Amino acid sequence: MAMTRVRPTRALFKTRRPQDAGRQGPARRSAVIDWAAYIDGHRVCTDTVGDAVRLIRDGRLTPEGESAGFVWVGLHEPSSTELSDLAEVFGLHPLAVEDAIHAHQRPKLERYDDVHFVVMKTVGYVPGEDGSEVVETGEIMIFCGPDFVVTVRHGTHGELAPVRTRLERDPSRLAMGPAAVLHAVADRVVDGYVNVADAVQEDIDEVEEAVFSPERTDESRRIYRLKREVIQLKRAVGPLAGPLRNLSGRRFVPAEIKEYLRDVEDHLTRVREQVESYDELLNPILQAHMTQVTVADNKDMRKISAWGAIFMVPTAIAGVYGMNFDFMPETQWRFGYPMILGVIGLACLSLYRGFRRNGWL
């Protein structure tokens, strides 16, 4: 691609590092988290992003006429103005820039001339409002060009600072160019999938144990919540398989990085199968729980019906003798009252034993 000259008047490229900003007085928060130029795998610190770009594009070239290094700029939820500055310098496509600003994109891989645009979903298991853990998603967009990588992160998790630190400890990997950063970010994202999937598995095991325990508990709400979390995971994990597979076949990716990408793809496949099995496991758990609830409700109804039948006996007899007719049997008999009490007690006892024998009480 044509090397565009950096315009030093752009505010983004005047952004200095935090330690320098403190000496210049308070400034508004910048979306630029970190930047650096990398030559032969080694980090070269510069005062501004613009200096890093100039160092690479005005520096020495390889025998093929390509840049001997690259610039890696990391941003977190940038504004349209901030990302437009980078788009002008690196030649980013307007459609990809718009996607990176507004986020909420499906995992994908697109190519605009010699710039590849990759979208990945990040996931995290965070405490919800009711104290239970829920799956929270974010996004990482990557612009990967011949001499630059721009990572744009949305969300509170999926930080890339550990990725940069780990790569800087391995200069031979960084010397392979922007594709090495692309692999490292993908590996970080998929590792997040693995961690969240394992945490969801633990919750599913707890729910399953609670459903089949002797104690009566209502797990319906928790099961439905877990099904929602599994859907969130499936939306993040499933669509990423195609982009990773396509990346392994791109010419700008070195052969060694392709092997690492295939390993990441293998991990993603295992996580995807694991998440799909969760849905298949939660359905019978929910059905079993609903069956137990129905059985428990039927038991309660039988108990209520049995006690209702027992109390119906004294109610019926008392209702008959409470009509106050003058000519009724045993109303004038001396032992009529004890006899009626005995009949009531005997009838209630017989009904109670019968219901107990049949398991209603």
Side-chain angles (χ1 to χ4, degrees), residues 90-122:
F90 294 124
L92 309 181
H93 196 279
L95 291 178
V97 171
E98 182 180 357
D99 289 345
I101 293 173
H102 298 292
H104 304 295
Q105 301 297 313
R106 178 183 174 89
K108 60 183 179 179
L109 167 64
E110 295 180 346
R111 179 180 177 181
Y112 301 96
D113 295 329
D114 54 356
V115 177
H116 290 77
F117 178 60
V118 184
V119 178
M120 303 180 189
K121 287 277 189 182
T122 59

Side-chain angles (χ1 to χ4, degrees), residues 36 50 73 155 283 285:
V73 182
N283 285 331
I285 290 177

Side-chain angles (χ1 to χ4, degrees), residues 247-259:
L247 274 176
S248 300
R250 299 291 178 169
R251 288 189 300 176
F252 80 97
V253 179
E256 185 176 351
I257 297 299
K258 289 181 179 180
E259 295 178 1

Side-chain angles (χ1 to χ4, degrees), residues 91 143 147 169 183 209 212 274 290 301 305 325:
F143 296 90
D147 61 352
R169 293 173 181 169
H183 158 260
E209 184 177 352
F212 293 101
Q274 186 179 1
M290 297 308 296
M301 290 302 300
S305 300
F325 288 110

